[in-house]
Amino acid sequence: MRLNKLELRNYRNYLELQLEFPNRLNIFLGENAQGKTNLLESIYVLALTRSHRTSSEQELIGWQDDFAQIKGRIERKTSELELELLLTKKGRKSKVNHIEQKKLSSYIGQLNVILFAPEDLSLVKGSPQTRRRFIDMELGQINPVYLYDLAQYQQTLKQRNLYLKQLSEKKQTDEIYLDILTEQLVDFGSKVLASRLLFVKKLEYWSNDLHSKITNQKEALAIEYAASIPLKGESVEEIRSVFLAELQKNRKREIFKGNTFLGPHRDDLIFKVNQQNVQTYGSQGQQRTTALSVKLAEIDLMKEETGEYPILLLDDVMSELDDSRQIHLLETIENKVQTFLTTTTLNHVEGKMTVHPDIFYVQQGQIERKET
Ligand SMILES: Nc1ncnc2c1ncn2[C@@H]1O[C@H](COP(=O)(O)OP(=O)(O)O)[C@@H](O)[C@H]1O
Ligand SMILES: [Mg+2]
């Protein structure tokens, strides 16, 4: 898939911007604080309606303005699409081919993006929350049903925790309503978990392949899903019965503490290189390679799931990688995916690739394309 055209209005420090991308590789060159990340972010937001940097929509709107608009023309194998996102103080509006989409799940997934930013290098080292968020964002893009189940799960979890709190404070005594919420939580939770387990298997398959290439066959990467409940099987039904039994076992403690301690919202991923947990035993280099392999694996995974290659957004990552990883990264993306890359210097890319890039200069919210 390709993004052929991007238009911004009042997005962060871009008042008005129109760019076309006839080429596969697009490099945005500029000093710090000029708007490079903002530009990649806008493409990410166009795809997912949410930013990777902030949960506040307000932040994305230019300081002097009360709305922001992002438009993009997408070319897929068999169709062309116009996507449009309007952000206002009251919320967001999304359109596909000028028709408003009321449901998030009918909008997300039209444009598939993979973003790789320096903070992604902490996928391995960071908190379990980082890794759960990673799964949710990636899986959500390829599986709208997952997004729906997850939203329902989170909604039910909130209600259940609220009710548990009331029980713990003795403001409520009726446990029948807790049973209902528990059933609902287990229903959505087991679907979420089953989807995640399958996703992690596929992710492992593709990342192991890459990891082995990047390390010249020296390292094998394994990814395990660490569930907070003791799984006996991977089907929705099998998960369901274990999840329900575990919640029943823990009911007293839950009521005492007013919280739900088990479920997909408490799960984690474990990365292992040559059977050793990279998070605890890996060198910084191994942790970076792992993060890189996992991110790049998504390119093939998405292709397999959706039939199209996603768009790759690389924000300032070249400088964080050593020479051999830079070359592997560039080799993986060359010829395959349309790429938007930001950098403060061309040193990291020059002479390392065979495709000809389009270069754009970014300065204070203005972008100029280098004449070729
Ligand atoms: N909502 C906003 N309205 C106007 N300017 C903004 C907004 N949010 C951020 N900026 C400006 O954007 C600039 C940072 O852009 P960024 O893309 O992060 O820079 P970089 O080129 O280093 O990646 C800063 O100058 C900041 O003041
Ligand atoms: Mg930046």
Side-chain angles (χ1 to χ4, degrees):
M1 123 180 10
R2 298 269 290 245
L3 175 68
N4 287 336
K5 194 174 172 190
L6 180 73
E7 278 183 61
L8 302 180
R9 278 184 75 189
N10 308 335
Y11 187 88
R12 295 249 196 205
N13 65 338
Y14 293 99
L15 286 180
E16 189 94 59
L17 182 78
Q18 276 207 30
L19 292 175
E20 302 206 7
F21 309 111
N23 265 316
R24 202 184 279 281
L25 179 60
N26 301 282
I27 296 179
F28 296 89
L29 184 63
E31 316 242 299
N32 281 326
Q34 301 304 308
K36 299 185 300 299
T37 300
N38 293 349
L39 184 90
L40 292 199
E41 179 191 42
S42 77
I43 300 175
Y44 185 92
V45 174
L46 183 68
L48 289 158
T49 75
R50 291 169 35 159
S51 164
H52 63 290
R53 286 202 288 186
T54 171
S55 54
S56 146
E57 245 142 60
Q58 188 70 48
E59 263 182 60
L60 310 178
I61 301 172
W63 289 320
Q64 318 263 315
D65 308 291
D66 46 24
F67 78 93
Q69 190 181 38
I70 314 169
K71 279 191 197 177
R73 192 160 71 227
I74 317 298
E75 190 184 319
R76 304 182 60 118
K77 263 192 206 139
T78 51
S79 59
E80 274 212 343
L81 285 176
E82 297 268 349
L83 295 185
E84 189 181 330
L85 197 69
L86 187 71
L87 306 170
T88 67
K89 290 185 175 135
K90 287 195 205 116
R92 57 203 159 176
K93 241 187 216 169
S94 57
K95 289 183 184 172
V96 178
N97 288 335
H98 313 289
I99 298 166
E100 193 177 338
Q101 307 295 312
K102 296 271 184 212
K103 273 192 291 179
L104 213 56
S105 54
S106 58
Y107 179 84
I108 295 179
Q110 311 283 345
L111 171 61
N112 294 322
V113 298
I114 291 172
L115 170 80
F116 194 31
E119 57 265 30
D120 287 310
L121 292 168
S122 69
L123 179 69
V124 178
K125 261 193 310 186
S127 66
Q129 195 185 355
T130 314
R131 288 181 287 276
R132 284 193 298 267
R133 194 181 134 80
F134 161 77
I135 303 184
D136 292 342
M137 294 310 264
E138 308 310 330
L139 187 49
Q141 281 198 70
I142 51 181
N143 185 353
V145 177
Y146 176 79
L147 269 190
Y148 174 81
D149 290 337
L150 182 68
Q152 297 295 316
Y153 178 78
Q154 281 163 344
Q155 173 80 22
T156 313
L157 180 65
K158 231 192 211 161
Q159 288 175 357
R160 190 172 186 269
N161 282 341
L162 206 70
Y163 198 71
L164 281 169
K165 200 141 195 281
Q166 292 176 346
L167 286 169
S168 94
E169 289 165 357
K170 310 248 172 346
K171 288 183 187 146
Q172 291 283 356
T173 49
D174 173 14
E175 287 190 26
I176 293 174
Y177 185 54
L178 181 63
D179 286 335
I180 296 171
L181 289 173
T182 303
E183 286 280 332
Q184 270 180 27
L185 190 80
V186 167
D187 278 346
F188 292 117
S190 38
K191 286 183 197 163
V192 166
L193 232 160
S195 304
R196 283 189 186 174
L197 291 171
L198 189 62
F199 173 74
V200 168
K201 273 207 190 121
K202 291 177 184 168
L203 191 67
E204 182 187 49
Y205 171 82
W206 291 108
S207 17
N208 182 27
D209 194 45
L210 276 164
H211 195 93
S212 153
K213 267 189 209 142
I214 299 178
T215 60
N216 291 318
Q217 273 73 43
K218 282 196 204 94
E219 293 180 6
L221 174 66
I223 309 178
E224 283 169 22
Y225 187 88
S228 54
I229 53 170
L231 295 173
K232 296 202 181 86
E234 306 203 336
S235 72
V236 176
E237 259 324 298
E238 285 167 313
I239 295 168
R240 203 184 175 288
S241 65
V242 175
F243 194 5
L244 192 61
E246 287 297 312
L247 286 180
Q248 265 147 8
K249 239 195 263 174
N250 280 278
R251 176 174 285 221
K252 275 221 176 82
R253 189 164 80 102
E254 285 192 326
I255 293 177
F256 184 69
K257 296 270 192 185
N259 205 353
T260 306
F261 297 99
L262 299 169
H265 65 290
R266 288 294 177 101
D267 296 351
D268 199 357
L269 284 179
I270 298 171
F271 301 99
K272 287 186 174 170
V273 162
N274 295 341
Q275 272 115 47
Q276 294 267 27
N277 188 330
V278 206
Q279 191 183 7
T280 32
Y281 301 109
S283 66
Q284 200 186 359
Q286 282 178 323
Q287 293 177 342
R288 287 186 169 198
T289 310
T290 301
L292 184 63
S293 309
V294 171
K295 271 284 163 176
L296 294 182
E298 287 178 66
I299 297 173
D300 290 305
L301 205 163
M302 274 200 192
K303 163 81 161 92
E304 189 182 58
E305 298 287 315
T306 67
E308 303 228 24
Y309 280 116
I311 286 168
L312 191 61
L313 309 172
L314 299 174
D315 193 18
D316 231 349
V317 286
M318 297 305 278
S319 58
E320 303 272 331
L321 301 169
D322 63 27
D323 242 31
S324 87
R325 290 197 196 98
Q326 285 178 5
I327 290 170
H328 272 289
L329 176 62
L330 294 172
E331 271 176 4
T332 315
I333 60 179
E334 258 186 325
N335 307 319
K336 255 196 205 170
V337 286
Q338 189 186 24
T339 301
F340 297 84
L341 182 156
T342 70
T343 181
T344 48
T345 152
L346 285 177
N347 292 345
H348 306 304
V349 279
E350 258 169 357
K352 289 195 176 115
M353 49 204 330
T354 52
V355 293
H356 183 75
D358 256 347
I359 293 173
F360 298 87
Y361 298 107
V362 184
Q363 200 178 18
Q364 291 186 4
Q366 310 256 359
I367 299 189
E368 233 175 87
R369 181 158 161 194
K370 185 184 172 189
E371 298 295 332
T372 45

